[in-house]
Amino acid sequence: MIEDKNPQRTSLEHLGEFGLIEHLTKNFDVKHSSTVTSIGDDAAVLDHKSKQILVTTDLLVEHVHFDLSYMPLKHLGYKAVIVNLSDVYAMNANATQITVSIAVSNRFPLEALEDLYAGIETAAKVYNVDVVGGDTTSSNKGLIISVTAIGEADESDVVLRSGAQVNDLVIVTGDIGAAYMGLQVLEREKEVFKVNPQSQPDLSMYTYIIERQLKPEARKDIVELLKALDVKPTAMIDISDGLSSEIMHICKQSDVGVELYETKIPLDPQVISTCEEFDIDSTTIALNGGEDYELLMTISQDDYSKIKGNPNLTVIGYITEKDRGNLLITRGEQAIPIIAKGWNAMKNEA
Ligand code: ADP
Ligand code: MG
């Protein structure tokens, strides 16, 4: 994990808005020829030639989307970028630029914002995107961060949610449920810490799931893999809210039904063991947990031989006629309707 390492506290008032923007953005270089003019003018100028442009934005609000008591600011900056890039990759496109807007209260010293921007800079480097602008303003209390991502793709490469066809295979990348279980562990440790601030939690059993919560990655590699395998999904979405709500988006927008197999859903052993420890059903977590930022796609059966055996791509079911409904075939071979709870709803229940 990346640690915040700025012990100093420089008040933001010293710098003023323009000094602050200049300070935070001084390291951002331009990597793409499509970035004609970057930070420093009234607007960035982009030239994507004959490509189609993809634009997506997400807003993260303190105490709603993140908790700084266990989320280091560096990780928050990184994650704020990742959640947006994930949406670009879910369109089978390449992310090229981002803008970053923040609202901060004077509760945050300059060093805190340096940490936030270090995470943003790392993500921009790892995922090869240019930071081309943003906005900076004050807030009364909490921190708000909004990132907009811009991507490009050839028109023929863009994949929508609406293209799934009957008999297509349903595929999920990586494994799911880990980010939600990581959050459960972090919330538990926060409560323990409140009661006993001297406690030194041993989190070594949970490193993978905590990393999935605090430092998620977006599946740029999958977009590249699909291209290399010469597979264009018929529909695709990123898993930000849980498998069930995402598959239902695809089914609704494609006007089809689905059958998913409980036994096929890819789970990391740490998710299984932590679910056992918390006495929660791991399938419920896979279906309704959120923030995995894996990709869920449908592909034609004709492409099966191209993806067969690839450890990144797991077939978990297939698309059916709409009137068959959206079904999960359980371990006991029962067919139960998939309902979308979404992880926020699940949180309120707990
Ligand atoms: P304006 O008054 O036109 O809104 P600003 O003074 O807010 O301009 O911004 C100056 C430049 O710095 C612009 O290019 C803007 O996109 C960029 N910028 C402002 N805030 C941020 C930020 N938080 N992160 C990255 N770029 C920023
Ligand atoms: Mg501005």
Side-chain angles (χ1 to χ4, degrees), residues 212-231:
R212 293 280 282 174
Q213 169 60 222
L214 295 183
K215 192 172 172 287
E217 303 292 349
R219 300 309 305 254
K220 176 183 167 75
D221 60 326
I222 297 293
V223 175
E224 291 161 358
L225 174 71
L226 292 171
K227 206 150 273 163
L229 295 174
D230 191 29
V231 174

Side-chain angles (χ1 to χ4, degrees), residues 238-294:
D238 73 322
I239 306 186
S240 48
D241 292 332
L243 181 58
S244 47
S245 76
E246 312 304 2
I247 192 65
M248 286 173 74
H249 283 306
I250 287 185
C251 288
K252 183 157 185 242
Q253 282 171 249
S254 299
D255 217 21
V256 293
V258 72
E259 244 175 55
L260 298 184
Y261 293 84
E262 184 180 17
T263 55
K264 304 285 186 200
I265 297 173
L267 301 173
D268 185 85
Q270 246 177 46
V271 170
I272 296 171
S273 59
T274 312
C275 281
E276 277 169 9
E277 187 189 333
F278 279 72
D279 200 18
I280 319 178
D281 176 44
S282 56
T283 303
T284 305
I285 296 312
L287 289 173
N288 302 305
E291 300 195 291
D292 289 312
Y293 303 106
E294 295 293 342

Side-chain angles (χ1 to χ4, degrees), residues 20-310:
L20 175 64
I21 295 170
E22 216 171 283
H23 183 82
L24 292 177
T25 62
K26 62 177 186 285
N27 290 332
F28 293 139
D29 54 340
V30 169
K31 310 171 191 83
H32 290 275
S33 59
S34 54
T35 306
V36 179
T37 303
S38 185
I39 292 171
D41 217 308
D42 296 310
V45 181
L46 308 181
D47 183 358
H48 289 265
K49 311 279 183 206
S50 58
K51 301 267 186 181
Q52 293 218 320
I53 309 298
L54 300 105
V55 181
T56 176
T57 195
D58 267 300
L59 182 63
L60 299 177
V61 177
E62 187 179 359
H63 304 304
V64 178
H65 302 101
F66 58 90
D67 183 335
L68 292 176
S69 60
Y70 48 72
M71 183 69 155
L73 280 157
K74 229 177 231 185
H75 289 66
L76 177 65
Y78 193 87
K79 185 168 178 175
V81 176
I82 294 304
V83 302
N84 280 279
L85 300 185
S86 179
D87 282 319
V88 174
Y89 302 138
M91 305 296 290
N92 201 33
N94 184 32
T96 45
Q97 288 90 9
I98 58 171
T99 64
V100 179
S101 297
I102 52 173
V104 272
S105 75
N106 53 16
R107 174 184 134 218
F108 294 92
L110 173 66
E111 288 74 16
L113 297 186
E114 285 175 348
D115 284 332
L116 182 76
Y117 267 73
I120 292 167
E121 196 184 334
T122 303
K125 206 164 269 164
V126 171
Y127 288 87
N128 193 34
V129 294
D130 296 337
V131 184
V132 296
D135 200 20
T136 308
T137 185
S138 54
S139 83
N140 286 337
K141 205 156 153 264
L143 173 67
I144 298 172
I145 173 163
S146 174
V147 175
T148 296
I150 294 155
E152 61 176 35
D154 288 332
E155 186 178 355
S156 57
D157 284 338
V158 173
V159 173
L160 306 179
R161 297 176 176 183
S162 56
Q165 304 286 325
V166 174
N167 293 328
D168 281 353
L169 299 172
V170 178
I171 288 173
V172 66
T173 63
D175 56 76
I176 54 177
Y180 182 82
M181 289 317 293
L183 182 64
Q184 299 315 298
V185 170
L186 290 167
E187 293 272 359
R188 182 179 69 184
E189 293 312 320
K190 183 182 168 187
E191 292 308 312
V192 171
F193 185 80
K194 269 191 207 158
V195 178
N196 176 14
Q198 308 317 329
S199 68
Q200 287 283 338
D202 176 12
L203 298 177
S204 57
M205 284 163 66
Y206 311 109
T207 45
Y208 177 67
I209 59 175
I210 288 175
E211 178 125 353
R212 293 280 282 174
Q213 169 60 222
L214 295 183
K215 192 172 172 287
E217 303 292 349
R219 300 309 305 254
K220 176 183 167 75
D221 60 326
I222 297 293
V223 175
E224 291 161 358
L225 174 71
L226 292 171
K227 206 150 273 163
L229 295 174
D230 191 29
V231 174
K232 183 187 173 192
T234 50
M236 190 149 66
I237 189 169
D238 73 322
I239 306 186
S240 48
D241 292 332
L243 181 58
S244 47
S245 76
E246 312 304 2
I247 192 65
M248 286 173 74
H249 283 306
I250 287 185
C251 288
K252 183 157 185 242
Q253 282 171 249
S254 299
D255 217 21
V256 293
V258 72
E259 244 175 55
L260 298 184
Y261 293 84
E262 184 180 17
T263 55
K264 304 285 186 200
I265 297 173
L267 301 173
D268 185 85
Q270 246 177 46
V271 170
I272 296 171
S273 59
T274 312
C275 281
E276 277 169 9
E277 187 189 333
F278 279 72
D279 200 18
I280 319 178
D281 176 44
S282 56
T283 303
T284 305
I285 296 312
L287 289 173
N288 302 305
E291 300 195 291
D292 289 312
Y293 303 106
E294 295 293 342
L295 295 173
L296 176 69
M297 69 189 89
T298 56
I299 67 162
S300 161
Q301 296 224 11
D302 298 340
D303 285 331
Y304 178 62
S305 60
K306 298 181 193 166
I307 62 105
K308 196 179 152 196
N310 192 301

